[in-house]
Amino acid sequence: MARWKSIETRWYEDRDALFRQVARLGRRDFLRFSVAAAGAAVVSGVRFAPHSFQPVAVADAKGKVEPFTFAYISDSHLYKRELNDRFVRSLLRAVDDVNAMDPQPDFVLYGGDLAQLGQREELDLGAQILKSVKAPVRMMVGEHDWFLDMGTRWRELFGQETYSFDHKGVHFVVLQSVNEADFWTKRGMTPMERMLTVAGLDNGIQSRFEVGAPQREWLKNDLAKVDDDTPVIVFSHSPLYKYYRNWNFWTEDADDVQAILKKFDRVTVVHGHTHQLLTNRIGNIDFHGMLSTAWPWPYAPEGLPKLTVQMTRPDPFNPNDGCGDGFASVTADGLVDKTYNLWNRNPVDVPSGYLQSGGKKLRPQDPTLKSF
Ligand SMILES: [Fe+2]
Ligand SMILES: [Fe+2]
């Protein structure tokens, strides 16, 4: 028996569900629903698949979450296929992983750094591959996608880089956290020189990543409409805290962003960029790093958050070791149980109870292999 339904079947089911839901709504709710659905269609990319025309669930009771799962794929760093076929195959493997999930995730977050040098061929190739993801895809931008043309091609393919949406009682926010103060104009850099400088993490020339004042203002306004007891999940490419400055494992205005999120009881940040198992908790915020499909970064020489359960050094004989994808299960209380699907090791579960207890309970299993 087939493990999944055809695209056509899903599309008809989604459409029927939409009309059933519309029929149940009063006029006020209908207006809210229409606006939310239109917004979601714009940002989530109906362009990916016809079945992404799905209703946005309106939470019935205040602060209540209907548990669900979203998967993630991140940091594929695609070169043109002639230059590097392995990273292409890794992304295809991740797509197969999430397409084989049963039940299917509600959506798939793409965590940024789809391209290596922001080139049209790289981004187009990535967009083409992601079209075969069956669940709706939510896109986030990374610095490797951005600094050649400052987001022009990425936006043409995927829409606005900053947006929010509501899903089953959770408010989601997607940020562009990799803005940098202009270091290129006075140096007379070409766009490719700028891109290569940002791609070299530790060259000491580029600026630190930041969300930036205009986007922080947008975030304040967006969250003003959200009740304090609604769980909030933020997607950012860089970690929204200060881990290791020299590699830009860092967001310069992290403190200001955290302050904006302070009024909420439950906040989770899921980020890319660091290419490693990474867990942190600061104040009311749980932080989870995503794996890369391309390569694992080593841990920074200092500043590693205490809650992180480290992976031992990757196996140099296996290019997939330390890479993978994963998913997040959003629980009824709006917190996130995170699963790392390591391709060469056992999966690692990082339950919210581990973070909430400050590491006292539910410690994840060590993802160790023998050292090489
Ligand atoms: Fe990356
Ligand atoms: Fe990155």
Side-chain angles (χ1 to χ4, degrees), residues 2 25 49-50 56 73 119 160 174 189 199 215 217 249-250 297 305-306 321 349 361 364 368-369 371:
L25 294 171
V56 175
I73 303 173
Q119 299 184 87
Q160 280 302 308
V174 184
M189 288 181 165
Q215 215 180 172
E217 203 49 41
F249 283 11
W250 186 275
W297 283 122
K306 275 199 299 288
D321 191 29
D349 298 313
K361 292 182 197 155
T368 49
L369 281 182
S371 294

Side-chain angles (χ1 to χ4, degrees), residues 151-343:
T152 304
R153 184 59 184 159
W154 194 93
R155 279 188 184 139
E156 284 168 6
L157 289 166
F158 306 118
Q160 280 302 308
E161 66 278 11
T162 305
Y163 58 97
S164 65
F165 58 98
D166 295 293
H167 189 73
K168 295 188 176 172
V170 175
H171 187 68
F172 285 90
V173 175
V174 184
L175 295 177
Q176 200 288 40
S177 66
V178 294
N179 295 296
E180 294 194 13
D182 185 345
F183 61 86
W184 50 89
T185 303
K186 74 174 182 346
R187 290 187 167 90
M189 288 181 165
T190 64
M192 185 47 96
E193 283 167 347
R194 175 179 62 208
M195 179 71 253
L196 288 166
T197 303
V198 174
L201 281 185
D202 51 358
N203 49 41
I205 293 173
Q206 66 177 307
S207 312
R208 298 307 99 191
F209 291 148
E210 59 176 27
V211 171
Q215 215 180 172
R216 292 202 309 270
E217 203 49 41
W218 174 90
L219 181 63
K220 262 184 226 161
N221 289 333
D222 182 73
L223 295 178
K225 296 168 275 182
V226 183
D227 293 331
D228 298 1
D229 61 355
T230 300
V232 174
I233 299 181
V234 179
F235 298 144
S236 66
H237 182 67
S238 57
L240 286 180
Y241 59 93
K242 296 179 170 179
Y243 169 13
Y244 189 61
R245 193 170 195 278
N246 291 358
W247 295 352
N248 249 347
F249 283 11
W250 186 275
T251 304
E252 188 73 14
D253 54 355
D255 298 345
D256 296 330
V257 178
Q258 289 171 20
I260 297 170
L261 296 166
K262 219 176 183 79
K263 67 170 181 145
F264 294 99
D265 303 331
R266 293 155 293 173
V267 184
T268 304
V269 171
V270 178
H271 65 85
H273 186 61
T274 47
H275 299 206
Q276 58 195 215
L277 288 95
L278 193 59
T279 307
N280 198 5
R281 182 168 164 83
I282 300 172
N284 60 330
I285 309 177
D286 290 351
F287 297 88
H288 294 280
M290 289 183 267
L291 297 173
S292 160
T293 61
W295 72 80
W297 283 122
Y299 287 109
E302 58 190 42
L304 184 69
K306 275 199 299 288
L307 290 177
T308 297
V309 173
Q310 289 186 60
M311 192 185 92
T312 48
R313 189 165 44 147
D315 175 358
F317 301 102
N318 184 336
N320 288 320
D321 191 29
C323 297
D325 42 56
F327 60 90
S329 303
V330 181
T331 58
D333 50 13
L335 296 170
V336 166
D337 293 337
K338 170 82 188 297
T339 296
Y340 290 95
N341 176 35
L342 286 155
W343 283 334

Side-chain angles (χ1 to χ4, degrees), residues 53-226:
F53 176 60
Q54 63 165 15
V56 175
V58 178
D60 294 330
K62 210 170 161 228
K64 208 173 156 199
V65 173
E66 183 189 331
F68 64 96
T69 298
F70 65 88
Y72 75 82
I73 303 173
S74 196
D75 291 87
S76 301
H77 291 266
L78 299 178
Y79 290 79
K80 291 179 213 169
R81 195 161 193 157
E82 316 81 89
L83 292 177
N84 183 327
D85 189 50
R86 180 162 72 79
F87 290 177
V88 176
R89 282 184 280 114
S90 297
L91 176 56
L92 289 167
R93 176 174 180 172
V95 170
D96 283 348
D97 283 351
V98 299
N99 280 348
M101 285 176 71
D102 185 12
Q104 276 283 283
D106 282 18
F107 63 87
V108 179
L109 164 67
Y110 190 85
D113 287 352
L114 179 61
Q116 172 62 11
L117 295 173
Q119 299 184 87
R120 177 176 277 257
E121 298 90 331
E122 299 169 349
L123 288 165
D124 290 0
L125 174 60
Q128 186 65 32
I129 293 173
L130 290 175
K131 277 183 188 164
S132 53
V133 175
K134 290 187 293 180
V137 177
R138 303 283 185 177
M139 292 300 293
M140 177 159 70
V141 77
E143 81 278 15
H144 285 257
D145 306 317
W146 191 261
F147 279 90
L148 184 63
D149 63 7
M150 305 308 281
T152 304
R153 184 59 184 159
W154 194 93
R155 279 188 184 139
E156 284 168 6
L157 289 166
F158 306 118
Q160 280 302 308
E161 66 278 11
T162 305
Y163 58 97
S164 65
F165 58 98
D166 295 293
H167 189 73
K168 295 188 176 172
V170 175
H171 187 68
F172 285 90
V173 175
V174 184
L175 295 177
Q176 200 288 40
S177 66
V178 294
N179 295 296
E180 294 194 13
D182 185 345
F183 61 86
W184 50 89
T185 303
K186 74 174 182 346
R187 290 187 167 90
M189 288 181 165
T190 64
M192 185 47 96
E193 283 167 347
R194 175 179 62 208
M195 179 71 253
L196 288 166
T197 303
V198 174
L201 281 185
D202 51 358
N203 49 41
I205 293 173
Q206 66 177 307
S207 312
R208 298 307 99 191
F209 291 148
E210 59 176 27
V211 171
Q215 215 180 172
R216 292 202 309 270
E217 203 49 41
W218 174 90
L219 181 63
K220 262 184 226 161
N221 289 333
D222 182 73
L223 295 178
K225 296 168 275 182
V226 183

